[in-house]
Each structure stands twice: as C-alpha cells, then as structure tokens.
C-alpha cells in the first residue's frame, strides 16, 4: 500500500486507471470504515482511501482541533482491508489558496445543517475536490451520514460526475450503537446510555411500519425520552426517504433521522422504515 500526500503524485499513481474505487474519510477509523474499504475493493481497483480532517466542514467551537489524528493506525487498518493507496494531503495541499468558490447544496440548512451552519457546504466542497483529484469510478459512503449521502448523490447527479455512488449499511456495536469516530469521546457512563438512541429509533420505526402516521407525535416522544435521560436533542425528524422532505400523507417509504448530544459528544443516527 502506498501513502501519498501530494495531489501530483496521486495523479501520477492513478493515471490511466478507469475503475478506481474510492473511500473518503477523516481518519480515526473504526470497523465501519474498514467495511467501506472492503466494499470498495469488491467494486473496483485500485482502492483509494483519503484521510483528511476538513476544516471547512467544522463550525466555530466544534471538534476540529481535538478530532483524533491517527494516521499510522488508520493506514494499518486500510492495508489489512486491501486498500492500495492512502491519500492524506495536508491542509495546504488541499487548500493551496483560500477556497472562495464553494458548493451550495440543497437541504444544507436543514436537519444537521440547521445546527451546523456551513457544514454541508464544506463537505460538498471537499468531496468535489477529492473526486477531481482521485477521479474514481466508484465512491463508497455509509448510510449513517444519511443527509451527507443524500447531498453527495445530488452533487454527482447534478454536476454529471461519472461516478457510481455505492451506499453502505450502518455498522453497529452489539448493543446497537452506530459506529462513529466520535464514540471515542463518550465517557463510560455515556457509552452505557448511548444505545438508547437506536432503541428509540427502532421502536419509532416499528410504529410507522404498523401504520402510525402521527409523525409529530413520534418525533416528540423520541425527543422527550432522550431529554429525560440527559440528552440535548438537536432534532428528531421523520422524512420522506427519497426526498428528505417532510412526508406527505400518501408516502410509504420513510426515514427517521436524529441528532442529539450526550455530554460533549454529538451523535447522529437514522432508521429506514
Ligand atoms: O463522512 C466523512 O468522514 C466526511 O464528511 C467526508 C465525506 C470524508 C468529507 O470530509
């Protein structure tokens, strides 16, 4: 496996490749990321993973500075998962000049975007840059970041990028907690509490599958249960799964999305129903 820091070297290494499979990450990898790399390897070769903690997608007061940088351990995991190239640019390589063009995605001000202004502009901008650098045929993203995946699928469609977006199911711990690099911030007590999020989502999804259509009631119930157990809730929202808009009365495919904080840790999760 090659570790590459410079765009020019990456371009040279990938010149002529037409079936590259790409996994963009911010590092601090866990089993969910490893699964993404394995899925990538089943789609195309070479497999490229990027590791870049993107300052553009962090707001003031967020965890950009304390986001764990674990390049060596990340490379070992990616190599074991069959990755051919790790692309780890530094911030000057990624942004050699101030990034004055940016991408304005639809829905960027809703759900997570309402609580993290500028976040999805930053994500879409860096992913577009990474796509141009790597020029992959396949790009693999996890469904845990469902709004991100939705926005990036729109980016690929609307800018006619010749990339197949591969969606990967959320990987969970045995107790249901979605794997996330940020789980490492949880104290032992918070880690015990954290699986409540997915338990509540599953119960809410069961109600919808059984025919319940009082979405506001479901959202309130989940939010109240979390608040009662010490969480600070950003949002709980039932949406149309295909559009991510508020569901209409005839809709049949839904997704429940949630973001809430336990102590300093902001967790997100979702369930399709
Ligand atoms: O999901 C992430 O890890 C990041 O948002 C991404 C897609 C690598 C862009 O920085």
């Amino acid at each position: 496996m090659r570790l590459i820091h410079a765009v020019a070297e990456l371009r040279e290494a990938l010149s002529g490749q037409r079936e590259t499979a790409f996994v963009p990450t911010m590092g601090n990898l866990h089993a969910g990321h490893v699964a993404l790399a394995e899925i990538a390897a089943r789609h195309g070769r070479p497999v490229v993973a990027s590791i870049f903690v993107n300052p553009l997608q962090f707001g003031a007061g967020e965890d950009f500075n304390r986001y764990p940088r674990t390049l060596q351990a990340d490379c070992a995991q990616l190599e074991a998962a069959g990755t051919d190239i790790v692309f780890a640019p530094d911030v000057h390589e990624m942004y050699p000049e101030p990034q004055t063009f940016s991408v304005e995605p639809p829905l960027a001000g809703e759900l997570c975007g309402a609580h993290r202004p500028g976040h999805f502009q930053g994500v879409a901008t860096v992913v577009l840059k990474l796509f141009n650098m790597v020029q992959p045929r396949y790009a693999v993203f996890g469904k845990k970041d469902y709004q991100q995946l939705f926005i990036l699928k729109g980016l690929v469609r609307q800018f006619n990028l010749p990339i197949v977006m591969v969606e990967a199911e959320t990987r969970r711990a045995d107790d249901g907690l979605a794997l996330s690099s940020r789980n490492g911030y949880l104290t032992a007590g918070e880690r015990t509490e954290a699986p409540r999020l997915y338990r509540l989502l599953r119960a809410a999804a069961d109600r919808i599958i059984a025919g319940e259509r009082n979405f506001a009631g479901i959202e309130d119930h989940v939010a109240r249960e979390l608040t009662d157990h010490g969480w600070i809730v950003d949002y709980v929202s039932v949406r149309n799964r295909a559009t991510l808009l508020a569901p209409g009365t005839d809709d049949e495919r839904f997704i429940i999305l949630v973001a809430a904080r336990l102590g300093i840790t902001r967790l997100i999760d979702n369930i399709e129903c």
Side-chain angles (χ1 to χ4, degrees):
M1 190 184 76
R2 274 178 77 178
L3 174 60
I4 295 179
H5 298 286
V7 177
E9 191 186 341
L10 180 75
R11 283 249 160 87
E12 200 180 311
L14 291 174
S15 84
Q17 298 289 353
R18 300 179 64 87
E19 291 295 309
T20 301
F22 179 41
V23 182
T25 83
M26 296 202 303
N28 191 24
L29 304 184
H30 50 69
H33 293 109
V34 172
L36 299 184
E38 288 167 352
I39 291 169
R42 291 203 289 275
H43 279 81
R45 283 280 174 191
V47 174
V48 179
S50 64
I51 296 179
F52 179 66
V53 186
N54 173 34
L56 236 54
Q57 69 188 75
F58 288 80
E62 291 190 348
D63 56 344
F64 175 71
N65 286 328
R66 71 187 148 89
Y67 201 90
R69 273 75 167 172
T70 52
L71 183 61
Q72 250 190 329
D74 293 343
C75 285
Q77 290 192 73
L78 288 168
E79 184 159 28
T83 303
D84 300 295
I85 294 176
V86 172
F87 175 52
D90 68 13
V91 76
H92 305 290
E93 187 70 10
M94 182 59 75
Y95 299 114
E97 57 182 292
Q99 186 72 26
T100 50
F101 284 96
S102 78
V103 185
E104 247 338 289
L107 286 180
E110 291 195 34
L111 301 168
C112 279
H115 299 270
R116 306 187 67 188
H119 171 68
F120 288 114
Q121 288 87 341
V123 169
T125 301
V126 81
V127 170
L128 183 56
K129 285 169 75 78
L130 285 164
F131 281 171
N132 285 328
M133 292 167 180
V134 176
Q135 303 195 357
R137 177 78 187 118
Y138 305 95
V140 188
F141 292 88
K143 281 193 190 176
K144 185 176 83 65
D145 298 298
Y146 199 91
Q147 187 179 7
Q148 167 174 284
L149 174 63
F150 179 87
I151 285 172
L152 295 176
K153 285 197 299 189
L155 177 92
V156 165
R157 250 190 352 263
Q158 293 190 13
F159 287 103
N160 304 89
L161 304 180
I163 296 171
V164 177
M165 294 289 276
V166 179
E167 305 180 18
E169 294 302 323
T170 301
R171 292 286 297 253
R172 299 183 180 279
D174 289 345
D175 58 13
L177 179 65
L179 299 188
S180 162
S181 300
R182 291 189 168 96
N183 291 352
Y185 299 154
L186 295 167
T187 64
E190 289 164 353
R191 178 63 189 80
T192 309
E193 169 60 22
R196 185 181 309 282
L197 195 63
Y198 187 55
R199 281 203 301 276
L200 287 167
L201 279 179
R202 276 189 23 205
D206 286 346
R207 287 172 63 185
I208 292 176
I209 290 164
E212 168 78 60
R213 290 295 178 266
N214 176 5
F215 300 127
I218 289 173
E219 290 164 356
D220 286 350
H221 172 74
V222 173
R224 207 168 340 102
E225 283 290 317
L226 289 170
T227 307
D228 287 350
H229 289 88
W231 298 67
I232 308 285
V233 177
D234 278 358
Y235 66 83
V236 180
S237 190
V238 181
R239 298 278 169 127
N240 175 303
R241 206 193 299 174
T243 63
L244 272 197
L245 299 174
T249 41
D250 293 337
D251 288 353
E252 285 177 357
R253 286 153 52 87
F254 306 96
I255 180 161
I256 314 172
L257 304 111
V258 60
R261 291 161 209 271
L262 258 186
I264 61 162
T265 311
R266 184 174 188 275
L267 298 178
I268 64 172
D269 205 348
N270 65 73
I271 191 165
E272 294 168 315
C273 50

